[in-house]
Amino acid sequence: MPSPDLGQRLLAWYDLHARTLPWRVGPAQRAAGRLPDPYRVWLSEVMLQQTTVAAAKGYFERFTHRWPTVQALAAAPEAEVMAEWAGLGYYARARNLIACARVVADEFGGQFPRTGDELVKLPGIGPYTAAAIAAIAFDRPETVVDGNVERVMARLHAVEEPLPAAKRRLAGLAARLTPTERPGDHAQALMDLGATVCTPKSPSCGACPWAGDCAAHKKGLANVLPRRAPRAARPTRHGIAYIARRADGAWLVERRPSRGLLGGMLGWPCSEWGEAPAPAPPLQADWADPGAQVRHTFTHFHLHLSLRVARLDEDARPERGFFMPAAEFDPASLPSVMRKAHALAAPLLKGF
Ligand code: SF4
């Protein structure tokens, strides 16, 4: 049975070792009375869904520089927000980000609700994100359980049941530790412990404030827990991307439907993505096959995207998509898979 002062030891460790993050009010600042900005907490938590801290930092800095308040983000044109989000992936998050900002600005007077129960009703905020915002921004005693916390709990209690079946049990174990004093710092401390000490591979048990209580450490299981049920293999889908430039240098691009994969993002006109998709060029043209292929992995499948390139006359009339002048075209505003395709095709379409 772990000792009752686990929480105290975790906070003492956090006071010394908290990560410095651009969205964080650290323990010393917090003790001095500085409060976190709920907008920054919310924005960081949405960015961190499916994205590493290292990858999210730059995006966070750019977003908060450009849109320093939720009202500013709510007033931003959707296409500009989507372009700034490009490369972070999971584009439904960006659409929900805009929708949420607008609800908070219009219906809540720019003030985020303070409890997990209220927050979870906002677009793009699931139970995890709601608990994280309530704990971190408003210091409410909510239990925040991400992959880091699951790992730490599985090890601390030597839970052998594999994930995902063990999720509920691990959340229950985390809930038992959630304090009423400094719950926001506790939530962040647990995340930091998982990210920097109780890491997925080779945890640094010698530096861990819980080593004396940790069942996995005592049993020599720290490196093998948590166990995971085998994942179903990702299928591979195939597709064709049509990349064309007009004689004046404009690129033929398409905005993807707002719902579905890469929804609302700019991209190249494509065939269906499937086992053996039929060609679907956006117009009749002299399409060349350069033998180039982009490989990209989405959550549920691998994509092998073959390229076709064409040079078009000034009077070309595509059935799909629209021409974007070269001066307005920025590859950085494309989602990663489309950016990779551009990088391969651009040298072939030089000279306009
Ligand atoms: Fe993780 Fe090791 Fe600490 Fe246990 S002792 S919680 S395995 S870092």
Side-chain angles (χ1 to χ4, degrees):
M1 173 64 74
S3 58
D5 70 340
L6 279 179
Q8 288 303 326
R9 272 189 276 140
L10 180 66
L11 285 171
W13 173 84
Y14 180 69
D15 288 342
L16 292 175
H17 301 287
R19 287 177 294 175
T20 301
L21 300 171
W23 46 81
R24 174 175 282 176
V25 173
Q29 299 163 304
R30 190 98 178 210
R34 188 169 150 205
L35 295 175
D37 176 353
Y39 168 64
R40 293 168 71 87
V41 173
W42 162 73
L43 184 61
S44 67
E45 287 298 334
V46 175
M47 286 184 170
L48 289 169
Q49 295 166 359
Q50 316 280 354
T51 303
T52 63
V53 165
K57 276 183 182 172
Y59 284 88
F60 180 85
E61 305 274 20
R62 283 196 296 280
F63 263 72
T64 49
H65 180 72
R66 193 163 174 187
W67 300 297
T69 63
V70 71
Q71 289 93 340
L73 184 61
E78 188 164 327
E80 288 184 22
V81 178
M82 298 300 285
E84 201 68 81
W85 189 274
L88 262 180
Y90 299 92
Y91 295 96
R93 284 186 297 165
R95 292 196 302 279
N96 279 326
L97 188 84
I98 301 163
C100 184
R102 290 177 180 167
V103 171
V104 172
D106 296 345
E107 297 177 24
F108 291 87
Q111 305 294 316
F112 278 84
R114 301 173 72 88
T115 67
D117 287 346
E118 292 170 291
L119 285 158
V120 82
K121 294 177 189 155
L122 297 173
I125 299 187
Y128 165 77
T129 306
I133 298 169
I136 298 169
F138 301 114
D139 224 10
R140 299 188 67 92
E142 307 255 358
T143 303
V144 185
V145 187
D146 66 357
N148 282 326
V149 176
E150 286 177 345
R151 181 171 61 255
V152 176
M153 289 300 121
R155 290 173 175 170
L156 179 64
H157 298 278
V159 173
E160 297 261 3
E161 184 183 10
L163 284 166
K167 273 182 175 289
R168 185 186 287 258
R169 184 168 163 203
L170 297 174
L173 292 168
R176 280 179 17 202
L177 279 177
T178 303
T180 48
E181 289 280 317
R182 299 180 64 191
D185 281 348
H186 172 87
Q188 294 174 95
L190 206 41
M191 290 176 189
D192 280 18
L193 188 73
T196 63
V197 175
C198 196
T199 46
K201 290 183 186 150
S202 307
S204 307
C205 299
C208 179
W210 287 352
D213 290 88
C214 178
H217 180 50
K218 284 180 193 160
K219 293 180 180 179
L221 292 173
N223 258 316
V224 297
L225 295 181
R227 299 192 194 281
R228 291 183 189 279
R231 277 197 192 153
R234 282 193 185 107
T236 297
R237 294 187 194 167
H238 301 266
I240 305 167
Y242 295 90
I243 305 183
R245 283 190 96 174
R246 206 168 53 183
D248 63 353
W251 294 87
L252 177 58
V253 294
E254 187 173 60
R255 191 164 293 284
R256 297 179 61 86
S258 60
R259 300 223 158 260
L261 199 65
L262 308 181
M265 298 299 295
L266 267 191
W268 309 110
C270 286
S271 68
E272 294 283 313
W273 296 350
E275 277 186 25
L283 76 170
Q284 292 301 321
D286 195 8
W287 292 102
D289 177 357
Q293 192 181 64
V294 171
R295 295 190 174 203
H296 191 80
T297 296
F298 292 98
T299 313
H300 299 297
F301 64 95
H302 302 291
L303 176 66
H304 292 182
L305 194 59
S306 299
L307 305 190
R308 301 289 183 273
V309 296
R311 295 164 183 259
L312 304 177
D313 296 334
E314 290 267 12
D315 59 357
R317 294 276 176 272
E319 290 157 26
R320 286 161 39 211
F322 61 94
F323 286 105
M324 180 173 277
E328 290 174 23
F329 178 74
D330 176 8
S333 68
L334 300 173
S336 301
V337 62
M338 300 297 176
R339 204 183 310 167
K340 288 182 197 173
H342 171 263
L344 288 177
L348 306 168
L349 292 170
K350 266 191 176 156
F352 281 97

